[in-house]
């Protein structure tokens, strides 16, 4: 069973059902039922046209559900519209589906959460982590979004800002784990940039390219994380960096600054430095100031505190960090790093160990644990 094939076909099949009149919640249920059927049937009888098979099966599942609820939904006209089986057109509907999920009847945060779950393939836990909320809270938000759009015809696409937010979160999840997911987000953002003349679309594409260019240097051969300052910069993709910088410069020249352009500017300054020691931290702090003014995000302010520690010394960074909520994700890890820079290895080791216990991923936990062990070993000598 080719699970990757099923995942790649799901957005297009879902989009086709929505275009044919299925409301989003019912279409999603029908596609999931069709995927279960495919897992059961395909190993013994693989179809010649997998996409056409899934469309037909999902549509039948949808019609079966519709027939059971005709009195309430009054959609008898859908019953006779089953498409004929056969080859389906090779059209990529994923980006269109992103816009459809960003429906005006939903708040931006609910639209993003719903799209990430239904189209982006992220789990509720992953989405909750991206939003810094408990998993149960995010599960309720997604359920409410599904109820809101149930029975709504998706004839009014959502706005660009919401779609950009979805693509950004999908990329972030892929960059921290599945590289293919990050590559898919880049592909869709390129597609969007080709269709819409918008500086923030260009800013997001530049940001993705600049971060993705460093992917080869982010892990050691044993799979462990390599901090930015310790990465082998010869392994970075210089072509992607050059493309990202060019796209960013063109966007900034339009003088319509947005958060993705500001983030890309920070990434470009990191990418432009031949060595970690030559990083222009003063400019990075200035861009974090711009970004904080645009977003008022506590995560941005935490990253700014670390940058201040590099530009003005670790004690200045710790002073900036002290103004933030200690429960903020990675706050403890940032404090550990700044204390290490300040020479307080005992406090740094304790905080690294504490941060390891809060780490959201296994590689990050292992990295922080090794940091704590290294400092503890230094303290014994």
């Amino acid at each position: 069973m080719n699970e990757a094939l099923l995942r790649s076909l799901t957005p297009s099949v879902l989009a086709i059902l929505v275009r044919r009149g299925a409301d989003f919640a019912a279409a999603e249920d029908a596609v999931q039922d069709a995927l279960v059927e495919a897992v059961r049937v395909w190993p013994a009888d693989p179809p010649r046209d997998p996409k056409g098979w899934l469309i037909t099966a999902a549509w039948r599942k949808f019609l079966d559900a519709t027939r059971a609820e005709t009195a309430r939904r009054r959609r008898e006209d859908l019953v006779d519209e089953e498409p004929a089986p056969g080859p389906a057109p090779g059209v990529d509907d994923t980006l269109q589906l992103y816009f459809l999920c960003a429906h005006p009847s939903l708040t931006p945060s609910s639209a993003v959460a719903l799209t990430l779950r239904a189209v982006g393939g992220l789990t509720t836990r992953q989405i909750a982590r991206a939003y810094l909320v408990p998993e149960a809270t995010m599960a309720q938000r997604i359920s409410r979004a599904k109820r809101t759009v149930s029975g709504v015809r998706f004839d009014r696409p959502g706005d660009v800002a919401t779609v950009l937010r979805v693509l950004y979160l999908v990329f972030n999840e892929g960059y921290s784990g599945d590289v293919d997911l990050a590559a898919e987000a880049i592909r869709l953002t390129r597609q969007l940039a080709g269709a819409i003349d918008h500086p923030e679309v260009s800013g997001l594409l530049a940001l993705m390219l600049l971060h993705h260019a460093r992917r080869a240097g982010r892990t050691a051969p044993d799979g462990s994380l390599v901090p930015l300052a310790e990465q082998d910069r010869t392994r970075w993709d210089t072509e992607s960096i050059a493309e990202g910088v060019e796209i960013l410069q063109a966007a900034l020249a339009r003088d319509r600054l947005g958060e993705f352009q500001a983030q890309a500017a920070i990434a470009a300054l990191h990418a432009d430095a031949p060595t970690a020691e030559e990083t222009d931290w003063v400019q990075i702090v200035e861009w974090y100031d711009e970004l904080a003014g645009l977003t008022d995000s506590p995560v941005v302010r935490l990253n700014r505190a670390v940058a201040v520690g590099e530009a003005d010394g670790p004690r200045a960074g710790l002073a900036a960090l002290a103004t933030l909520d200690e429960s903020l994700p990675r706050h403890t890890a940032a404090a550990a790093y700044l204390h290490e820079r300040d020479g307080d290895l005992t406090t740094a080791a304790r905080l690294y160990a504490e941060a390891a216990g809060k780490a959201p991923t296994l590689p990050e936990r292992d990295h922080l644990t090794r940091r704590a062990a290294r400092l503890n070993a230094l303290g014994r000598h």
Side-chain angles (χ1 to χ4, degrees):
M1 169 56 59
N2 192 333
E3 295 183 4
L5 174 62
L6 287 177
R7 285 197 301 271
S8 69
L9 292 175
T10 298
S12 185
V13 174
L14 184 55
I16 287 171
L17 263 65
V18 170
R19 285 206 304 270
R20 290 184 175 274
D23 69 76
F24 185 84
E28 185 185 15
D29 290 341
V31 172
Q32 292 300 319
D33 289 343
L35 292 175
V36 171
E37 186 74 5
V39 171
R40 185 181 68 83
V41 172
W42 285 13
D45 185 20
R48 287 192 298 272
D49 177 24
K51 184 176 179 180
W53 190 100
L54 278 175
I55 292 170
T56 300
W59 189 253
R60 285 175 176 160
K61 297 289 185 183
F62 169 71
L63 291 181
D64 287 344
T66 300
R67 291 187 183 102
E69 300 179 6
T70 50
R72 182 168 67 88
R73 296 188 177 274
R74 301 192 181 282
R75 295 207 176 164
E76 296 88 344
D77 57 315
L78 297 177
V79 176
D80 299 322
E81 295 180 8
E82 179 182 336
V91 178
D92 184 356
D93 298 296
T94 308
L95 189 58
Q96 180 188 11
L97 194 58
Y98 273 53
F99 271 96
L100 292 174
C101 288
H103 195 270
S105 65
L106 295 172
T107 64
S109 61
S110 295
V112 170
L114 178 63
T115 313
L116 289 171
R117 184 71 185 92
V119 188
L122 274 64
T123 66
T124 302
R125 177 175 297 178
Q126 289 170 328
I127 302 168
R129 191 169 68 220
Y131 270 91
L132 309 180
V133 300
E135 184 177 354
T137 300
M138 183 53 65
Q140 292 174 354
R141 184 178 300 177
I142 293 172
S143 295
R144 285 197 300 270
K146 287 183 177 181
R147 288 196 299 271
T148 299
V149 300
S150 180
V152 172
R153 290 190 64 87
F154 282 70
D155 53 358
R156 292 184 298 155
D159 66 350
V160 175
T162 302
V163 174
L164 289 179
R165 178 63 51 189
V166 174
L167 291 169
Y168 173 67
L169 291 175
V170 170
F171 174 82
N172 277 351
E173 191 58 44
Y175 189 63
S176 63
D178 183 355
V179 171
D180 288 341
L181 193 58
E184 172 68 0
I186 292 174
R187 184 185 71 81
L188 291 172
T189 306
R190 280 191 189 280
Q191 197 178 104
L192 184 59
I196 298 176
D197 183 20
H198 192 298
E200 271 295 80
V201 177
S202 298
L204 179 58
L205 179 57
L207 175 64
M208 289 179 174
L209 290 170
L210 290 164
H211 277 304
H212 208 52
R214 302 201 303 258
R215 70 189 184 277
R218 292 185 74 245
T219 54
D222 63 0
S224 60
L225 291 181
V226 180
L228 176 60
E230 299 172 18
Q231 288 177 19
D232 179 358
R233 299 185 179 216
T234 64
R235 300 184 66 196
W236 291 0
D237 183 348
T238 54
E239 289 187 8
S240 291
I241 291 172
E243 182 186 5
V245 169
E246 182 180 358
I247 292 170
L248 172 63
Q249 289 175 338
L252 291 175
R254 300 176 66 176
D255 199 24
R256 290 169 54 194
L257 184 63
E259 62 173 295
F260 294 122
Q261 295 169 72
Q263 287 190 59
I266 293 169
L269 286 166
H270 283 297
D272 189 53
T275 65
E277 292 73 23
E278 295 173 86
T279 303
D280 190 342
W281 286 106
V282 173
Q283 271 205 71
I284 288 175
V285 171
E286 291 174 356
W287 275 111
Y288 270 123
D289 288 337
E290 294 278 1
L291 187 56
L294 290 166
T295 67
D296 196 30
S297 164
V299 174
V300 169
R301 296 190 182 280
L302 184 144
N303 290 333
R304 179 190 177 278
V306 175
V308 167
E310 299 287 358
D312 300 328
R315 295 193 179 182
L318 286 167
L321 194 65
T323 65
L324 302 175
D325 186 347
E326 292 185 2
S327 66
L328 191 65
R330 297 187 173 87
H331 184 287
T332 307
Y337 173 74
L338 291 169
H339 277 290
E340 181 184 0
R341 287 280 320 281
D342 195 37
D344 186 353
L345 303 189
T346 301
T347 300
R350 175 178 58 79
L351 290 172
Y352 274 130
E354 184 181 334
K358 304 175 183 177
T361 66
L362 182 60
E364 188 172 342
R365 186 194 70 185
D366 291 345
H367 168 71
L368 294 168
T369 301
R370 284 193 296 271
R371 287 276 180 176
R374 180 177 62 83
L375 295 185
N376 283 324
L378 288 173
R380 288 194 294 270
H381 289 83

